Amino acid sequence: MNVQRFHDETIDQYSYLITDGGEAVAVDPTRRIKPYLDYLGENKLRLRAIVMTHRPGTFASGWAELREETGADMVGATTYHFHGEGQFVKAGRATMIEFGQGCHVQTQLTPGYTADSISLLAMNADGNVEGIFTGNTLLQDGAGYPLPRPEDKNPLHNERTYAKETYDSIYGIIRGFDQRATVYAGFGEDAHFSKMGDATHGRFNLTEAQDESPVFDKKIENADQFADWLTGDYPFVPAYVYGCLEGNPEGYPRWEQAMSPFRHLLTGLHKDDMQPVGDDETTTTATTTVTEPTVTTERVVEARGNVVILEEEIAPATNLAPATPPTSIPLGTDTWLIDTRPAADFKAGHPRNAINIQAKGEFALWLGAMVKPGEELYVIVDSEEAAYQTAQSIAKIGYDRQVTGATQWTGDLAELMEDPLDLEDFREHHIGKYTIVDVRPATPAIEDTRFYGAINIPAWTLRDRWKEIPQDRPIVVHCGGGYQSAIGASLLRKNLKGAVPVYDLGEHIKDFKASR
């Protein structure tokens, strides 16, 4: 038996192919399935089953396309809907999936991270456990924070309730698995919903875990104490999580369709992602129907370079198809205009109403925090490489169906330029002369206060709470490093429409020491 691990760095998530005797079982596939198909093809393997250890909320899975390409059975404790070859197997206690030469994958119900979380025991022909797959319930040096459960209508239930379920699953079920077998986790240490220490990979065994992991700290004697530990620094829930929880059981469109809004920006090797995975190397057309690009020729006020600018009061409210230049920038609609360029470039000039979520950083997380499922978005990139990475990030949180268009930056789009903050004046007179907004989470804002009297409104809440900020003096936005403040400042600038100057302190925050 062999286990091949796949790491998706966008969301720091691990998925696997368990193989034996010419067959394989996939565990928690991510949205882009080409790496799995390449591995199956190179090793002449038949995919026997696709197992989901939980209903994903932190990423959009490619299980539907992978099943369509291979005809494999689907296995999970939540029902996954599809037509065609293969069957759905409801995972329960000791559900067995055969593959290879007498090997089995056995499911165990281990709720907590989600209500439908399961663990897998991969057993060889002799019945020995060679691998344990815990999804995001037990990680190498920690555990997964429990995800929200929108379907749970009990007002008394919350993340603490689910943390206690995790305790019961880890201590009552997982700890009883074979102590010597390798455990394969679903999250890395940088994943948003993982509570981990200094882990470096996703493999360990239960003996190591019980000796080293804070999950098995001797001070933890019961479920309440475990819940205290796990939920003590529970992270914010980005909006996209609810979209993934709803969308994953139905499946997402094929990968080449997800990339189609960016098709005119991709060339060379990146163009391969526009090719259906089931076609040979000479095929270049997608099997899915894609709307042909349209060029707006009416209501045009001014053309700048290769981009058509529409005035706010006359911009059409209807969706604009992904287009080749000239591109229609929806300045006056409800569409989110996302500028992914570096903050310094954005400050030097940007379109009106643009929000600066930089591609170099946790783009997927922050896009999914600021934009809600179903809201339309239009993307500006500064290079082909940025277009490729951005397109992938958007697809991997399931937001590709919300993209109405994308274009590469041109200087002619620079409608607004930001006046730089006078740092010396700010340093000397920030008390009373400026309104300072700290967009970090509450805990670091309290423990590492940089400015007396700063208003703490975390970045992911700013779209709903921006009216709480006084508008009687210039506003300076800061975070801990500059990424979130770029988002917050651009959002405030859009909403305030020039009523008051808004400055992004950016990386200059590092020049100011904590006031307490």
Side-chain angles (χ1 to χ4, degrees), residues 150-298:
E151 71 281 359
D152 186 350
K153 303 303 181 183
N154 190 325
L156 300 179
H157 289 180
N158 52 34
E159 61 267 13
R160 184 177 180 84
T161 308
Y162 312 141
K164 290 182 179 181
E165 287 185 2
T166 300
Y167 174 86
D168 292 338
S169 291
I170 292 176
Y171 278 75
I173 302 174
I174 295 177
R175 193 167 62 167
F177 293 159
D178 190 319
Q179 300 290 299
R180 298 163 299 174
T182 301
V183 180
Y184 299 89
F187 266 164
E189 66 273 18
D190 294 325
H192 184 65
F193 277 95
S194 66
K195 178 160 187 171
M196 301 178 68
D198 297 324
T200 57
H201 58 78
R203 295 185 290 264
F204 58 101
N205 63 49
L206 288 171
T207 299
E208 294 171 336
Q210 291 176 91
D211 289 342
E212 303 172 6
S213 174
V215 172
F216 297 101
D217 191 313
K218 293 181 180 179
K219 296 179 181 178
I220 297 177
E221 299 179 350
N222 52 52
D224 276 312
Q225 292 176 354
F226 180 84
D228 290 342
W229 169 76
L230 186 57
T231 63
D233 53 357
Y234 188 79
F236 77 91
V237 181
Y240 86 86
V241 167
Y242 296 96
C244 285
L245 288 172
E246 181 179 351
N248 272 306
E250 303 298 327
Y252 287 92
R254 299 175 65 89
W255 181 255
E256 71 272 9
Q257 186 174 349
M259 300 291 285
S260 65
F262 296 83
R263 65 189 181 278
H264 57 288
L265 301 176
L266 304 181
T267 61
L269 293 176
H270 296 161
K271 203 72 173 180
D272 291 346
D273 269 20
M274 295 307 303
Q275 178 177 316
V277 292
D279 287 9
D280 59 37
E281 294 181 357
T282 61
T283 304
T284 59
T285 58
T287 56
T288 52
T289 300
V290 179
T291 304
E292 286 301 312
T294 60
V295 177
T296 301
T297 58
E298 298 179 356

Side-chain angles (χ1 to χ4, degrees), residues 245-385:
L245 288 172
E246 181 179 351
N248 272 306
E250 303 298 327
Y252 287 92
R254 299 175 65 89
W255 181 255
E256 71 272 9
Q257 186 174 349
M259 300 291 285
S260 65
F262 296 83
R263 65 189 181 278
H264 57 288
L265 301 176
L266 304 181
T267 61
L269 293 176
H270 296 161
K271 203 72 173 180
D272 291 346
D273 269 20
M274 295 307 303
Q275 178 177 316
V277 292
D279 287 9
D280 59 37
E281 294 181 357
T282 61
T283 304
T284 59
T285 58
T287 56
T288 52
T289 300
V290 179
T291 304
E292 286 301 312
T294 60
V295 177
T296 301
T297 58
E298 298 179 356
R299 304 179 182 173
V300 174
V301 175
E302 182 180 358
R304 303 181 182 179
N306 66 346
V307 180
V308 172
I309 305 296
L310 303 182
E311 286 293 351
E312 180 170 352
E313 62 271 15
I314 60 175
T318 57
N319 289 0
L320 296 168
T324 53
T327 303
S328 301
I329 302 294
L331 293 178
T333 69
D334 292 331
T335 300
W336 285 77
L337 182 56
I338 306 298
D339 192 329
T340 67
R341 294 175 300 137
D345 295 341
F346 181 84
K347 292 176 182 178
H350 57 81
R352 175 165 33 101
N353 291 340
I355 306 299
N356 186 207
I357 306 179
Q358 300 168 75
K360 293 183 178 180
E362 294 181 304
F363 175 78
L365 172 66
W366 285 103
L367 177 70
M370 303 307 296
V371 180
K372 296 180 180 179
E375 294 181 333
E376 296 177 347
L377 60 117
Y378 191 102
V379 182
I380 297 173
V381 298
D382 64 356
S383 67
E384 178 187 339
E385 188 62 35

